[in-house]
Amino acid sequence: MVRILVFSGSVRSGSFNTRLAAAAAAELARLDADVSLISLADYALPLYDGDLEAEAGIPEAALKLKRQFCAHRGIFIAGPEYNAGMTPLLKNAVDWVSRVREAGEKPLAAYQGRVFALGSASPGGYGGFRAQMATRQVLEIGCGALVIPESCAVASAHQAFDADGNLTDARNRGFLAACCASLVDKARSLT
């Protein structure tokens, strides 16, 4: 079984992207992936600061999150859109993980040898797609990660989920299913 990590770029109570992450985890499990659904709330990180890193070193939470990345072949990130970009929480996590370098590792080891997929959910009409573009840029150009082209952008997210957290619209379900299937296929090809 291919191992897939899933998390949301939001820790807000009732987050649409946390719901999307849970829906993605369920879809990935249906595809026989070994899924780990985590919350960034469990990896509390200070705002990245080079002086802080030089003074105190890498925070334990950054090391743990980096090891989570490395333990999985695929990573699905459900990222909200803030002002046409990615959330500060998500950017900070990506930045800290990029700084972790354990003995014998090349720089950016957490972003190499695995494949990433992006999803987003927003009350607006774009469904958080602009945040996906910003996140893709950071992952691909900044970290050298492989990000698949398939994605899922859920517009009108306040109406998109039923009481059980399932996507109600067949089109959104189809985009999520295609994104998850591609993620699993690409992750399996890396093993």
Side-chain angles (χ1 to χ4, degrees):
M1 289 181 101
V2 66
R3 297 192 72 203
I4 307 288
L5 180 66
V6 179
F7 64 91
S8 170
S10 173
V11 294
R12 180 183 63 79
S13 175
S15 164
F16 302 126
N17 286 277
T18 300
R19 291 181 192 177
L20 181 59
E27 181 63 29
L28 289 159
R30 279 192 284 278
L31 296 169
D32 292 326
D34 180 7
V35 180
S36 301
L37 177 62
I38 64 168
S39 171
L40 290 181
D42 296 326
Y43 300 87
L45 291 164
L47 185 61
Y48 179 76
D49 177 338
D51 290 339
L52 175 64
E53 180 185 2
E55 201 174 284
I58 299 291
E60 185 66 23
L63 179 62
K64 288 180 181 178
L65 185 57
K66 178 260 181 187
R67 288 178 176 166
Q68 280 280 20
F69 277 38
C70 290
H72 296 81
R73 281 289 174 227
I75 299 175
F76 182 98
I77 301 172
E81 181 176 310
Y82 283 13
N83 298 317
M86 63 196 296
T87 63
L89 174 71
L90 179 55
K91 179 67 166 77
N92 194 53
V94 168
D95 288 345
W96 270 116
V97 168
S98 77
R99 302 297 301 162
V100 180
R101 190 170 175 190
E102 297 186 82
E105 285 182 338
K106 293 181 179 181
L108 302 168
Y111 298 97
Q112 309 303 309
R114 58 204 35 81
V115 61
F116 290 77
L118 302 176
S120 56
S122 171
Y126 292 118
F129 184 72
R130 295 174 297 190
Q132 288 184 31
M133 291 188 298
T135 305
R136 180 179 297 277
Q137 177 178 332
V138 169
L139 291 173
E140 289 181 342
I141 297 172
C143 300
L146 171 63
V147 183
I148 62 171
E150 297 83 0
S151 69
C152 178
V154 179
S156 301
H158 57 291
Q159 301 170 336
F161 298 91
D162 66 19
D164 295 323
N166 301 305
L167 288 166
T168 58
D169 180 73
R171 186 170 182 217
N172 284 331
R173 288 193 307 271
F175 283 129
L176 182 61
C179 180
C180 290
S182 181
L183 176 60
V184 168
D185 287 346
K186 299 288 188 306
R188 283 187 177 134
S189 74
L190 296 176
T191 58

